[in-house]
Amino acid sequence: MWPYSFVTRAEFEKRKDFVDRTLRHLGCEVLPASPQRMTMYGKGFQETWISERPLYRFHSVYIHIGEVLHEKPFLVLELTDTLEEAKSNEMEDADPFPYDLSDDEIVLEVKRSLGLEEYPNQNVP
C-alpha cells in the first residue's frame, strides 16, 4: 500500500523517469532488464511490486534506480561493480535524495552518485 497522500505512486514514478532520462543523457548504457521484485519498508508499512526499470552501465559500474520511503519518498541510485551482483540485486545505495527536488538539483545528485561531481564537504566551515 502506497503510504503517501501528498504524492501518488504515478507522480513518484515520473520523477524516476526523469532520473532515467538524466542517466541516458550522461552516457549511461541501457542494458536489458529482467523484472525485479522489490519490497520497500517504511514507517509502519510494506510495499511489494515488480520493477521493470532497466539496468544501466556507466564505465564499469552497474546502476539501478531505487527508492527509499520515509516521511516522504526519496530516490536513490543503487550501484555495483559486477553484473552478477546487479542481477541478484546485491547493490550498494548512493546517497538518497528527495523526489521533489528541482530538475537541476536532481541532475546534480545523479552526477554526484556517478562520481561526476563531488559531494559538498560538510566538515569545511
Side-chain angles (χ1 to χ4, degrees):
M1 174 170 91
W2 185 248
Y4 306 106
S5 60
F6 54 87
V7 61
T8 65
R9 170 55 89 175
E11 291 167 327
F12 182 60
E13 291 296 323
K14 285 182 183 178
R15 295 312 282 162
K16 286 184 181 179
D17 292 342
F18 181 77
V19 171
D20 171 82
R21 290 189 304 274
T22 300
L23 288 169
R24 292 168 193 250
H25 177 76
L26 293 172
C28 292
E29 176 186 2
V30 178
L31 302 175
S34 55
Q36 295 180 336
R37 181 185 173 114
M38 308 288 273
T39 302
M40 299 308 300
Y41 300 91
K43 214 173 185 177
F45 70 91
Q46 172 181 329
E47 183 182 34
T48 302
W49 79 99
I50 303 298
S51 174
E52 305 262 347
R53 295 210 172 261
L55 182 65
Y56 308 85
R57 183 172 52 210
F58 186 71
H59 302 296
S60 63
V61 176
Y62 295 90
I63 304 153
H64 184 260
I65 301 170
E67 61 189 53
V68 177
L69 305 178
H70 288 297
E71 291 79 25
K72 66 179 178 181
F74 281 67
L75 300 161
V76 65
L77 295 186
E78 301 170 340
L79 312 166
T80 186
D81 293 331
T82 71
L83 183 58
E84 293 75 29
E85 288 176 347
K87 287 182 177 181
S88 63
N89 205 25
E90 298 174 41
M91 304 174 84
E92 295 290 325
D93 289 351
D95 286 347
F97 49 93
Y99 81 98
D100 56 354
L101 295 176
S102 71
D103 288 356
D104 288 342
E105 290 170 315
I106 286 181
V107 169
L108 181 58
E109 291 296 333
V110 170
K111 287 180 175 180
R112 287 174 174 161
S113 296
L114 295 177
L116 298 173
E117 294 279 342
E118 291 188 22
Y119 285 95
N121 187 343
Q122 297 181 5
N123 296 328
V124 175

